[in-house]
Amino acid sequence: MKFGCHLSIKQGYIGAAKQAVAMNASAFQYFPKNPRSLGIKNFSKEDTERCKIFCKANGLISVSHSPYPSHLVPHSQQKRQNVIVSLLNDLEIADACGSVGVVVHFGKPLNQADPLKSYQLMIQMLDDILQQWDGEAKLLIENNANVPGSMGTTLEELVQVRTLSQYPEKIGFCFDTCHAFASGLWTGKNWQEVLDKGLAIGYFEELEVIHFNNSKYPTRLGKDRHAPIFDGGFIKEDQFEQLIRTPQLQDIPFILETPKEECPHEQEIQQLREKWGDVE
């Protein structure tokens, strides 16, 4: 199993990669730049190249996460343009680091009464970005954590958005376990149903990363509050085990975004390795 966590780039991209290896992680996630800004980063090509070479030499998988203001349904034309330029910058950095892609949030609807307009805007925005992108890194769309029935909470939506894009080969998916639990997509008791549905519509063929998080709240409440995997959450170990023992997920990196002040990520990765590290 490939377990890792989100790491800081204060010591550069190569610094994050070295920290991952020091933690006995086999994957890591990072913000390519300031996580609270859509500004463009003029990054060091030497740093990204060293990161790429180091990851390849150590069998390390990396994935980038776009800054918080990035999502695919911006509510103004200026925000839309800013997000497009920012995501292209994120893709360039991720590609230079040898990362599989850039995770981006689905977004919220412009108008609850007319969700179709939001989907149309999202698909057009994806096309505007991806027609300008020729690298290997993909945009990885993450499932939302809102209440059941909200935009971005079903596998069908994610697959349909990808299908309707002119550049589906440049789009993949990120499955967040806390988001899925919060939205009722995965209640902890219906993994086989989620798996069967995802396989039938081709979702798991395009899955590149799992955000591996427990939930501080019960399922179907739409609350996105992460908890440690083994303590303080409503998703139980046996429910996580069903997911982990799924053959289709054996090569997918599981990235912790759990609160490290409650359980340090190095300790949590060790716990994961002891319990599930040899799952095949």
Side-chain angles (χ1 to χ4, degrees):
M1 295 298 298
K2 297 175 175 63
F3 295 121
C5 62
H6 189 100
L7 294 172
S8 169
I9 59 164
K10 286 183 179 179
Q11 303 301 319
Y13 305 110
I14 180 62
K18 288 182 176 180
Q19 185 180 356
V21 169
M23 297 170 68
N24 198 26
S26 47
F28 72 99
Q29 178 178 270
Y30 61 94
F31 287 120
K33 56 197 178 192
N34 184 340
R36 304 193 181 280
S37 171
L38 293 176
I40 302 306
K41 180 171 182 175
N42 295 315
F43 60 95
S44 164
K45 300 292 180 64
E46 180 183 357
D47 184 17
T48 55
E49 182 65 15
R50 288 178 65 202
C51 177
K52 183 176 182 177
I53 293 170
F54 183 86
C55 287
K56 187 174 182 179
N58 288 275
L60 193 61
I61 299 174
S62 69
V63 60
S64 170
H65 194 304
S66 61
Y68 295 122
S70 302
H71 59 80
L72 296 173
V73 192
H75 289 201
S76 72
Q77 184 61 34
Q78 184 59 58
K79 175 70 177 292
R80 181 180 188 276
Q81 187 56 38
N82 290 346
V83 171
I84 288 174
V85 173
S86 178
L87 282 173
L88 284 167
N89 181 228
D90 297 343
L91 283 165
E92 184 182 6
I93 293 170
D95 210 47
C97 286
S99 304
V100 295
V102 178
V103 176
V104 61
H105 290 164
F106 202 94
K108 298 180 180 180
L110 297 171
N111 186 331
Q112 294 286 357
D114 183 19
L116 182 59
K117 183 177 180 181
S118 298
Y119 291 117
Q120 291 171 334
L121 174 64
M122 175 185 293
I123 293 163
Q124 183 58 59
M125 186 165 169
L126 283 168
D127 288 347
D128 287 349
I129 295 168
L130 297 175
Q131 70 177 348
Q132 303 177 62
W133 177 244
D134 293 320
E136 296 294 323
K138 296 181 179 181
L139 274 183
L140 309 177
I141 307 175
E142 184 174 2
N143 56 304
N144 269 352
N146 294 330
V147 294
S150 299
M151 185 179 188
T153 59
T154 68
L155 301 185
E156 291 91 340
E157 290 170 89
L158 292 157
V159 170
Q160 188 70 346
V161 165
R162 181 180 183 276
T163 299
L164 291 175
S165 169
Q166 296 181 47
Y167 308 95
E169 72 282 359
K170 301 179 183 181
I171 298 172
F173 302 124
C174 168
F175 183 83
D176 188 301
T177 55
C178 178
H179 292 189
F181 192 75
S183 69
L185 167 61
W186 177 42
T187 64
K189 300 178 180 180
N190 66 334
W191 176 249
Q192 190 61 49
E193 177 186 332
V194 174
L195 178 62
D196 290 345
K197 180 181 295 182
L199 291 173
I201 63 177
Y203 173 83
F204 287 104
E205 293 177 18
E206 309 303 334
L207 182 64
E208 298 286 352
V209 62
I210 292 173
H211 282 170
F212 199 42
N213 304 306
N214 210 326
S215 173
K216 287 185 178 292
Y217 289 93
T219 186
R220 302 180 65 84
L221 294 184
K223 292 182 179 291
D224 182 19
R225 289 288 304 280
H226 299 180
I229 298 300
F230 296 104
D231 184 37
F234 278 86
I235 307 174
K236 306 308 177 187
E237 286 185 32
D238 62 324
Q239 295 170 337
F240 276 130
E241 183 151 350
Q242 285 184 312
L243 188 150
I244 282 177
R245 291 192 178 276
T246 300
Q248 290 82 359
L249 305 184
Q250 296 307 296
D251 294 324
I252 305 295
F254 283 63
I255 303 292
L256 294 167
E257 296 179 320
T258 50
K260 57 186 178 181
E261 65 276 6
E262 296 182 32
C263 181
H265 283 156
E266 187 170 9
Q267 176 182 330
E268 201 163 12
I269 288 170
Q270 181 60 31
Q271 292 173 337
L272 289 169
R273 289 204 173 280
E274 290 174 357
K275 188 169 183 64
W276 293 308
D278 59 352
V279 170
E280 293 182 359

